[in-house]
Amino acid sequence: MKTNQSFSLGQCEVNTIENKLLCGESECVLQPKFIELLCFLVMRYPELVTREDLIDGVWDGNQFVGEKALTNAIWHLRKTFKELDPAHAYIATVRKTGYRLAQQPVFLDTQKPKSEVKPQLTPIKKSKQVLFSRVKIAVMITIVMVCIAFFNFKRQIQSPEPFKFTPLSEHVETITTSPGRELYPAISNDSHFIVYSWRRPGQQANLYIRDLFSPEQAAIALTESSFLEGRAVFSPDLNNIFYYRRDEQRQCVIVKQNITTAATRVLATCGQGRSTDLDINAAGNQLVFISDDKNDHTQTQLNIVDLKSRELAITRVPCSGNCDFNDESVVFSPDGKQLVVSRNLASGYEELFLVEIATGSAKQLTSGFVDIRGVDWHPSKNLLVFSGVDQGKRHGYFYELATGRLVDAHIDGLSYPEYSQDGSLYFHQWDIDSTLMRVETNNVLASSPFPVLSTHFNTRFPDYSATKNKLVFVSNESGSMELWIANKDGTQRKKLTQLNATIYSPVWSPDGRYIAFVVSKNEVNSLRIYDFNSQTSSQLNTGLNYHGKPSWAPDSKTILISNNNELYRFNLNGDNLGKAIEQSTMYAYEDKHGALIFADIAAKQLWIKRPDSGHAQLLVESINLSNHSSWYYVEGATQTLSRVYYFNVERDDYRLSYYDFSTQSQHDLMRLPERAFSRSSGLTYIENIGWLVYTSYKSPQIDIKRIKAEYLP
């Protein structure tokens, strides 16, 4: 379906006769199908249009052609709009459902909007009975008929009145600009002061306070210690702050500190080596924090501190039902009776839950998020704001508790948001692209890192095949995170998949025929195999709810995979051949002799289980791995000629290092700036030229931003 009327969208005009897009002085001619798709969205504005409906209307219901053609068309339209008008978003994606226009169309002959109804928040799930039939679409010839059909349609459905939402990108203000990374903003009740964690280049992170009423004044350090301080909250009377801190052994404690005297008191312990969070209620008499479960240290528990009792008594929030999860972020409701918690589930997804403090009963709010980076509750509305990760990037979302509606705020990088009492929103903006870098290890002096792939897209998880002489990696170059291969110098890139999912840890089989990789989509974490003979990928049905980084047996016939605790072996039919080792681990490498090299669950030791032994033996007693899979075993002719390259992170000290089996000693290749590499995206080695290839972040700068209440929903 295509209208002959030209129209404007935001800053651009669409000439439907000439298939032309004009924005200011720039113009671009598009394929007719792209214009037809855009017209379809215009005729349905402001409604959500499902992928099925778009394929029916634009590609005559041809699902085989339409699936890929629709994804390609959406990507090209977004790319063209972004090139011509980078300041605005034009097409919004509704997770697992479809698309809608983010700008209101105006037909140029009447200069009147097609509909006076304000854009609505998109429901997380929408019934197919509210979709227009193709018969209705066909009769929408003129603007008047479109309006009549739209309003008649609106009268047929019953939906709550949406809350107001306006574009936000032009209203973002920068609050901090110092070198380094300023994280986790906390705002005082009178909106006068902000406390945040400042990780200065080459220095330990500390907490700083700043006067928002006098922005010209320098920030003042509240902590100058050997500890690593994290997120803080103010007491309502502004006399104290509460925060968590970690020592050199990563032991975590909750601390109360007087702002004036700097006197501190440890209130509780909060575990070791895992994420934690805390919040204070509006009355200022209770503090909630996340700690390790006292009965099962692989899980977490929620704790309430009574700040008004002399002994600061701590009670545990009950857990009802299945408690197989790890809490990561927590916030009080305005009345202090409920909590919203982000929970890492056994499936590998992280979702928001509404928890009753008295009973522990929990209701899941979101679905389909692989990672969440902070959540907050509006001080006077039933409205949440949170940071969700999609296609490897952080985005801000609003969630209306009364209706369950979700909307993308269109603010890339929004992380750990916090409302002030006046309803303004503060957050740190983690909007950093990743790229593949290489370091030459064969030189006497290690070279400076040099880009293998330096694009405007995110590239992660490199793995090299000596058989194919190719790198495999994950990139969002096509608009979604997909599997790609390229030459070792980054040339001749080729996309292998079109899954529109979150992809992790691709690994070549030794014979070069397969690539095993992990996929998260529609709340399912699965293991897939790409076969170069058929040039298709298929799911390997393991029966596991979660899959860590895979690895291959030397004969390319079986795969080793962990369920986040135990390591299993599977054949290519998906048959579970049993545990590979008895010890808990999240990743292992099998050498050509059948020996298994793996890290312990704390990622502090390397072990080996030889094929002729029933028990594993300690290989490297003390190693400082940044992640369970952030190491690469370079296998020599014998084990004494082998090496393990790894990311070495010791607080604010970031290094690329290796363990030499011949000398049984550890060596540093180079020291790198903080967060110069991704701890979780792995690394690989190209032996014939001595290149160590890894994922690097492009910028070390993170600033705190603000959007004033008057612009927010």
Side-chain angles (χ1 to χ4, degrees):
M1 178 192 69
K2 184 174 174 182
T3 176
N4 289 330
Q5 287 183 284
S6 295
F7 53 89
S8 67
L9 281 178
Q11 307 299 311
C12 300
E13 294 182 7
V14 181
N15 186 323
T16 59
I17 304 299
E18 300 179 11
N19 298 315
K20 188 179 293 184
L21 183 63
L22 303 96
C23 298
E25 300 296 321
S26 302
E27 67 177 51
C28 180
V29 177
L30 296 173
Q31 293 183 22
K33 277 293 182 186
F34 297 171
I35 295 294
E36 188 176 350
L37 171 62
L38 195 58
C39 289
F40 198 108
L41 292 171
V42 166
M43 301 304 282
R44 296 285 295 274
Y45 178 83
E47 291 301 315
L48 162 71
V49 188
T50 66
R51 289 180 63 88
E52 293 82 3
D53 222 19
L54 287 166
I55 292 170
D56 282 344
V58 181
W59 286 274
D60 297 323
N62 189 333
Q63 294 286 332
F64 182 79
V65 173
E67 273 294 329
K68 291 186 178 179
L70 172 58
T71 301
N72 180 60
I74 291 289
W75 182 78
H76 275 283
L77 285 170
R78 281 182 171 150
K79 180 174 181 290
T80 304
F81 277 122
K82 187 171 184 179
E83 289 173 350
L84 298 179
D85 181 19
H88 299 90
Y90 282 78
I91 300 176
T93 299
V94 180
R95 182 182 294 270
K96 298 190 227 176
T97 308
Y99 307 94
R100 67 173 177 84
L101 288 180
Q103 302 287 337
Q104 181 171 334
V106 177
F107 285 79
L108 298 180
D109 58 347
T110 63
Q111 290 302 307
K112 293 180 181 179
K114 181 180 77 71
S115 168
E116 298 300 327
V117 179
K118 294 181 180 179
Q120 294 193 18
L121 290 181
T122 304
I124 294 177
K125 294 183 178 179
K126 194 154 189 175
S127 172
K128 289 188 177 179
Q129 14 180 333
V130 301
L131 301 175
F132 278 88
S133 67
R134 294 177 62 189
V135 175
K136 287 183 180 178
I137 296 170
V139 301
M140 285 189 254
I141 300 172
T142 67
I143 293 300
V144 174
M145 296 180 71
V146 169
C147 292
I148 293 172
F150 175 73
F151 285 115
N152 285 340
F153 168 71
K154 288 299 291 181
R155 284 194 287 268
Q156 292 174 7
I157 61 172
Q158 301 295 321
S159 61
E161 189 70 23
F163 58 79
K164 181 181 177 183
F165 178 72
T166 56
L168 300 176
S169 57
E170 60 192 59
H171 302 302
V172 176
E173 302 176 67
T174 300
I175 301 301
T176 63
T177 58
S178 301
R181 303 192 175 195
E182 294 141 320
L183 310 170
Y184 313 121
I187 312 301
S188 61
N189 278 7
D190 58 1
S191 301
H192 193 156
F193 297 99
I194 181 173
V195 165
Y196 55 92
S197 175
W198 182 12
R199 300 183 181 182
R200 304 170 70 179
Q203 298 187 34
Q204 181 66 42
N206 281 288
L207 293 178
Y208 286 77
I209 188 169
R210 189 171 181 182
D211 188 337
L212 292 171
F213 293 177
S214 302
E216 72 282 355
Q217 295 183 6
I220 300 172
L222 291 177
T223 61
E224 292 182 281
S225 68
S226 59
F227 299 107
L228 179 64
E229 287 87 8
R231 184 161 112 74
V233 292
F234 280 92
S235 63
D237 59 12
L238 306 186
N239 290 329
N240 301 290
I241 57 170
F242 301 87
Y243 56 89
Y244 68 82
R245 73 183 185 198
R246 300 186 188 278
D247 60 19
E248 293 183 355
Q249 286 72 46
R250 296 189 61 78
Q251 293 288 344
C252 175
V253 294
I254 303 296
V255 177
K256 174 184 178 181
Q257 178 170 323
N258 185 282
I259 293 176
T260 304
T261 67
T264 62
R265 176 181 177 181
V266 174
L267 305 184
T269 60
C270 44
Q272 180 178 10
R274 73 169 73 249
S275 298
T276 191
D277 197 14
L278 75 167
D279 192 35
I280 193 168
N281 65 356
N285 59 1
Q286 289 186 333
L287 184 82
V288 62
F289 69 94
I290 300 169
S291 72
D292 286 348
D293 189 309
K294 293 180 180 179
N295 300 317
D296 184 352
H297 291 295
T298 65
Q299 297 177 3
T300 59
Q301 68 181 46
L302 296 168
N303 310 275
I304 303 290
V305 183
D306 183 354
L307 297 176
K308 297 304 181 184
S309 67
R310 182 183 299 274
E311 64 278 8
L312 297 175
I314 300 174
T315 58
R316 177 178 179 175
V317 177
C319 175
S320 62
N322 180 13
C323 300
D324 186 16
F325 53 75
N326 285 306
D327 295 324
E328 190 163 310
S329 296
V330 62
V331 61
F332 273 108
S333 62
D335 63 7
K337 296 179 180 180
Q338 297 171 306
L339 302 169
V340 168
V341 187
S342 69
R343 289 183 163 170
N344 288 297
L345 308 178
S347 63
Y349 282 77
E350 185 174 356
E351 307 293 357
L352 293 181
F353 286 78
L354 183 64
V355 178
E356 298 291 335
I357 295 176
T359 64
S361 62
K363 174 187 176 183
Q364 185 170 339
L365 302 178
T366 62
S367 62
F369 287 95
V370 296
D371 200 3
I372 288 176
R373 296 304 178 103
V375 60
D376 201 19
W377 195 317
H378 193 283
S380 59
K381 301 177 182 178
N382 275 333
L383 179 66
L384 304 178
V385 60
F386 67 97
S387 171
V389 178
D390 183 34
Q391 306 297 345
K393 299 276 286 186
R394 302 184 191 186
H395 301 274
Y397 296 89
F398 296 102
Y399 181 88
E400 188 181 48
L401 287 154
T403 63
R405 297 190 231 198
L406 183 76
V407 68
D408 190 334
H410 298 295
I411 302 174
D412 292 342
L414 185 148
S415 305
Y416 294 93
E418 173 152 321
Y419 283 111
S420 60
Q421 285 300 308
D422 66 3
S424 296
L425 181 63
Y426 293 77
F427 56 93
H428 69 252
Q429 194 163 27
W430 187 291
D431 187 20
I432 308 176
D433 286 333
S434 58
T435 187
L436 300 187
M437 303 289 286
R438 63 174 170 85
V439 171
E440 297 179 10
T441 63
N442 290 342
N443 299 329
V444 176
L445 295 175
S447 66
S448 298
F450 191 84
V452 174
L453 278 173
S454 184
T455 66
H456 296 298
F457 311 107
N458 277 320
T459 51
R460 307 172 67 192
F461 301 109
D463 191 62
Y464 176 71
S465 168
T467 305
K468 286 278 191 178
N469 196 25
K470 295 281 187 181
L471 281 168
V472 64
F473 54 92
V474 177
S475 173
N476 65 351
E477 182 173 344
S478 64
S480 62
M481 298 299 287
E482 303 292 348
L483 206 62
W484 291 67
I485 58 171
N487 293 338
K488 59 187 174 225
D489 61 357
T491 60
Q492 297 187 12
R493 298 195 300 277
K494 179 182 178 182
K495 182 162 67 75
L496 301 182
T497 62
Q498 188 60 55
L499 297 175
N500 195 27
T502 303
I503 297 178
Y504 304 94
S505 305
V507 179
W508 289 95
S509 62
D511 63 7
R513 175 177 172 178
Y514 304 107
I515 298 172
F517 58 102
V518 179
V519 173
S520 289
K521 186 175 184 179
N522 298 332
E523 295 194 334
V524 175
N525 178 282
S526 61
L527 177 66
R528 295 186 72 91
I529 308 293
Y530 185 89
D531 186 341
F532 278 90
N533 286 358
S534 64
Q535 296 188 22
T536 59
S537 72
S538 58
Q539 183 172 322
L540 196 66
N541 296 315
T542 64
L544 303 179
N545 292 327
Y546 176 83
H547 303 81
K549 181 179 178 178
S551 63
W552 289 86
D555 60 5
S556 301
K557 293 181 179 179
T558 61
I559 296 175
L560 298 167
I561 196 81
S562 171
N563 66 348
N564 208 20
N565 190 27
E566 306 293 343
L567 188 75
Y568 296 93
R569 188 186 299 273
F570 290 87
N571 63 23
L572 297 187
N573 294 321
D575 299 322
N576 190 334
L577 305 181
K579 285 186 182 181
I581 50 178
E582 292 301 320
Q583 284 179 250
S584 295
T585 188
M586 297 177 67
Y587 172 72
Y589 175 89
E590 186 170 15
D591 71 12
K592 58 190 175 186
H593 303 293
L596 292 170
I597 296 92
F598 62 95
D600 67 329
I601 204 70
K604 295 295 184 183
Q605 296 176 329
L606 283 179
W607 292 70
I608 185 169
K609 181 183 180 298
R610 295 181 172 84
D612 56 352
S613 174
H615 301 283
Q617 297 174 317
L618 185 61
L619 191 62
V620 181
E621 184 174 3
S622 178
I623 195 168
N624 200 38
L625 303 173
S626 67
N627 183 274
H628 296 90
S629 58
S630 63
W631 54 278
Y632 191 86
Y633 184 76
V634 180
E635 186 174 356
T638 63
Q639 190 181 98
T640 56
L641 298 177
S642 301
R643 282 184 176 184
V644 174
Y645 288 95
Y646 61 97
F647 293 142
N648 184 353
V649 178
E650 186 66 47
R651 311 213 42 189
D652 59 339
D653 190 340
Y654 291 72
R655 303 186 184 194
L656 282 173
S657 306
Y658 68 91
Y659 180 85
D660 190 326
F661 284 87
S662 62
T663 61
Q664 298 184 354
S665 58
Q666 300 180 58
H667 305 271
D668 295 327
L669 284 174
M670 64 176 56
R671 185 173 179 178
L672 295 168
E674 181 182 2
R675 295 284 187 176
F677 55 78
S678 168
R679 304 193 210 186
S680 59
S681 296
L683 67 165
T684 191
Y685 191 71
I686 305 176
E687 190 168 8
N688 60 340
I689 52 177
W691 285 5
L692 190 66
V693 180
Y694 62 94
T695 302
S696 172
Y697 292 120
K698 289 186 177 180
S699 169
Q701 181 74 18
I702 304 293
D703 296 318
I704 292 172
K705 305 295 181 73
R706 175 178 66 193
I707 303 174
K708 292 183 179 178
E710 61 197 87
Y711 304 114
L712 293 167

